[in-house]
């Protein structure tokens, strides 16, 4: 029955994508948590999300051969986005070759690098109008609303929370652990917040949006915020406010109230004992989880210094490679070192770290011609801040989300290069 349902879902998705290619992309983006449904394709493990993307890419390649050919001849793009993307692919290939677990590394190569980069190219070339890009963010928000509602239902019914998180009643949504819900919802909260800030600032474009759109993003913000609070993902709580603060400062009409509210909140935090305790323990990593992070980073840095700074540990090779450097036996060895810089370094080596830095630079330097690109940029910034103490990329749904957001920014560059008057 399980395989029949997966087959029916794939067949329906293929039909929708063939009839409406953009609609297929929207469905895929809304269904990012579908990676949780796993399947074995011969000797290779896969997920429903990968199957859906495979179908989407086949339909795209068959119906938009002009765009596929353009990928190979876009010489100007090689000076900007293609260079870091090529570096990431090369680094991932080297990381797979250097990995002691080749089959697992191959799975990570396709799920974390190849498929997200192909989705980046598809989104960048198909979603070039503001209306289309708005629909893409709304599709992402629909998936977030589903995950948030599952988490809220878990808390309301006090049921369905996997162990050991049920003891603390930390909701997980459809995911196996609470931080996964926080990592997934935090960028969506940021996007909703940036849109509503734009409305409050009376920017020309968002004020043209219908009241239904404004209500949509308001409901998304409320649902996801409640769910992320119930998940007790503290890193998400900390990473969202400063990003929205920076987004508000961009708006001239909001600068004075933003600075006033920010100053008042800072005074309130330091005036209340609980606020001072939160800063001294959580923000300075003096609590139990913070000490685990510090221990992981110390061990990872020791590993990199010991002759592994160039290639890292290879894809999926970190748990085995870090074992000789594991000087804190009271803590378990995790799959990743829980820091975005160290994560990329140990998985993709120095070349991957350079490619990632170049991608970040492209986001910074690309003009933000509408609120959609601005929201995507701030969502990426939130993921980066969150990633200082967690894993915001090396996860199937988050890898896809990252490159969708990058594509929404890259489309600005593409439109500018194609429009001589821009």
């Amino acid at each position: 029955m399980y395989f029949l349902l997966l087959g029916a879902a794939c067949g329906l998705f293929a039909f929708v994508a063939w009839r409406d290619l953009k609609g297929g992309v929207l469905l895929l983006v809304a269904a990012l948590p579908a990676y949780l449904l796993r399947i074995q394709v011969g000797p290779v493990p896969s997920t429903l999300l990968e199957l859906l993307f495979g179908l989407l890419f086949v339909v795209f390649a068959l119906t938009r051969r002009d765009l596929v050919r353009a990928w190979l001849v876009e010489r100007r793009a090689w000076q900007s986005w293609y260079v870091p993307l090529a570096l990431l692919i090369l680094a991932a290939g080297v990381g797979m070759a250097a990995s002691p677990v080749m089959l697992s590394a191959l799975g990570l190569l396709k799920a974390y690098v190849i498929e997200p980069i192909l989705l980046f190219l598809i989104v960048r070339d198909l979603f070039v109008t503001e209306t289309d890009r708005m629909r893409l963010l709304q599709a992402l928000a629909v998936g977030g609303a589903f995950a948030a509602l599952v988490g809220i239902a878990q808390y309301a019914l006090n049921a369905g929370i996997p162990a050991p998180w049920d003891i603390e009643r930390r909701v997980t949504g459809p995911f196996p652990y609470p931080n996964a819900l926080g990592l997934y919802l935090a960028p969506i909260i940021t996007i909703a917040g940036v849109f509503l800030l734009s409305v409050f600032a009376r920017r020309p474009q968002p004020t043209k949006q219908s009241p239904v759109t404004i209500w949509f993003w308001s409901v998304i913000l409320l649902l996801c915020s409640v769910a992320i609070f119930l998940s007790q993902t503290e890193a998400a709580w900390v990473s969202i406010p400063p990003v929205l603060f920076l987004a508000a400062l961009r708006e001239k009409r909001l600068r004075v109230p933003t600075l006033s509210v920010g100053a008042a909140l800072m005074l309130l935090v330091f005036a209340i004992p609980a606020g001072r305790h939160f800063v001294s323990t959580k923000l300075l990593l003096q609590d139990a989880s913070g000490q685990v992070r510090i221990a992981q980073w110390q061990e990872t840095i020791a590993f990199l210094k010991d002759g592994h700074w160039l290639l890292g540990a290879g894809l999926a090779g970190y748990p085995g490679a870090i074992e000789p450097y594991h000087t804190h036996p009271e803590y378990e060895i995790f799959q990743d070192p829980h820091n975005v810089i160290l994560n990329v370094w140990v998985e993709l080596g120095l070349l991957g770290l350079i490619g990632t830095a170049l991608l970040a630079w492209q986001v910074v330097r690309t003009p933000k011609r509408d609120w959609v690109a601005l929201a995507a940029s701030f969502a990426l910034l939130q993921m980066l801040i969150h990633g200082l103490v967690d894993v915001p990329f090396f996860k199937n749904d988050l890898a896809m989300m990252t490159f969708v957001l990058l594509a929404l920014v890259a489309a600005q560059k593409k439109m500018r290069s194609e429009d001589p008057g821009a």
Side-chain angles (χ1 to χ4, degrees), residues 102-125:
M102 187 69 72
L103 188 59
S104 296
L106 177 61
L108 297 189
L109 173 67
K110 63 183 175 65
Y112 295 169
V113 180
I114 302 299
E115 292 168 355
I117 287 178
L118 290 176
L119 182 60
F120 166 91
L121 295 171
I122 292 172
V123 169
R124 185 201 62 169
D125 287 346

Side-chain angles (χ1 to χ4, degrees), residues 155-175:
Y155 188 85
L157 301 175
N158 196 19
I161 304 176
W165 317 111
D166 55 335
I167 299 175
E168 299 179 74
R169 208 173 175 184
R170 292 183 62 186
V171 305
T172 64
F175 304 103

Side-chain angles (χ1 to χ4, degrees), residues 3 37 39 49 130-131 165 205 211 335 350 391 410:
F3 291 105
L37 299 175
I39 189 173
L49 180 62
E130 185 185 2
T131 300
W165 317 111
Q205 292 172 337
Q335 189 66 34
L350 185 60
V391 188

Side-chain angles (χ1 to χ4, degrees), residues 27-228:
L27 276 179
L28 181 79
V29 171
L32 293 183
Y35 82 92
L36 295 166
L37 299 175
R38 302 187 179 276
I39 189 173
Q40 194 82 11
V41 182
V44 181
S46 186
T47 68
L48 177 58
L49 180 62
E50 288 191 331
L51 294 179
L52 296 180
F53 175 77
L55 291 170
L56 177 71
F57 184 75
V58 169
V59 172
F60 177 80
L62 291 175
T63 59
R64 296 305 306 267
R65 288 187 291 252
D66 57 323
L67 293 180
V68 175
R69 285 193 298 268
W71 295 351
L72 305 176
V73 297
E74 279 188 287
R75 299 184 182 275
R76 293 184 62 181
W78 281 94
Q79 302 172 8
S80 53
W81 291 93
Y82 277 20
V83 171
L85 294 179
L87 287 178
L88 285 179
I89 294 173
L90 178 60
V94 173
M96 185 187 70
S99 175
V101 281
M102 187 69 72
L103 188 59
S104 296
L106 177 61
L108 297 189
L109 173 67
K110 63 183 175 65
Y112 295 169
V113 180
I114 302 299
E115 292 168 355
I117 287 178
L118 290 176
L119 182 60
F120 166 91
L121 295 171
I122 292 172
V123 169
R124 185 201 62 169
D125 287 346
L126 286 183
F127 291 79
V128 294
T129 68
E130 185 185 2
T131 300
D132 282 343
R133 292 197 302 278
M134 166 72 94
R135 291 172 61 206
L136 194 66
L137 289 183
Q138 288 173 335
L140 185 64
V142 168
F146 165 76
L149 286 171
V150 173
I152 293 171
Q154 286 175 331
Y155 188 85
L157 301 175
N158 196 19
I161 304 176
W165 317 111
D166 55 335
I167 299 175
E168 299 179 74
R169 208 173 175 184
R170 292 183 62 186
V171 305
T172 64
F175 304 103
Y177 55 94
N179 281 4
L181 182 62
L183 286 164
Y184 182 60
L185 294 183
I188 297 172
I189 291 175
T190 303
I191 292 168
V194 171
F195 173 80
L196 294 174
L197 285 171
S198 299
V199 172
F200 294 149
R202 301 177 184 177
R203 291 172 63 89
Q205 292 172 337
T207 52
K208 295 179 181 178
Q209 301 293 343
S210 68
V212 173
T213 303
I214 297 174
W215 275 106
F216 171 84
W217 286 110
S218 301
V219 170
I220 292 297
L221 180 64
L222 177 62
L223 287 177
C224 294
S225 297
V226 170
I228 216 170

Side-chain angles (χ1 to χ4, degrees), residues 242-286:
V243 174
L244 292 182
F245 178 79
L246 292 175
L249 285 181
R250 282 184 56 96
E251 310 291 349
K252 292 182 179 179
R253 298 185 181 184
L254 297 181
R255 284 176 187 169
V256 172
T258 298
L259 290 172
S260 301
V261 171
L265 289 176
M266 289 294 292
L267 289 174
L268 184 62
V269 166
F270 285 100
I272 299 175
R276 294 196 300 270
H277 177 74
F278 182 84
V279 172
S280 62
T281 57
K282 299 295 184 180
L283 293 186
L284 299 181
L285 303 179
Q286 297 303 305

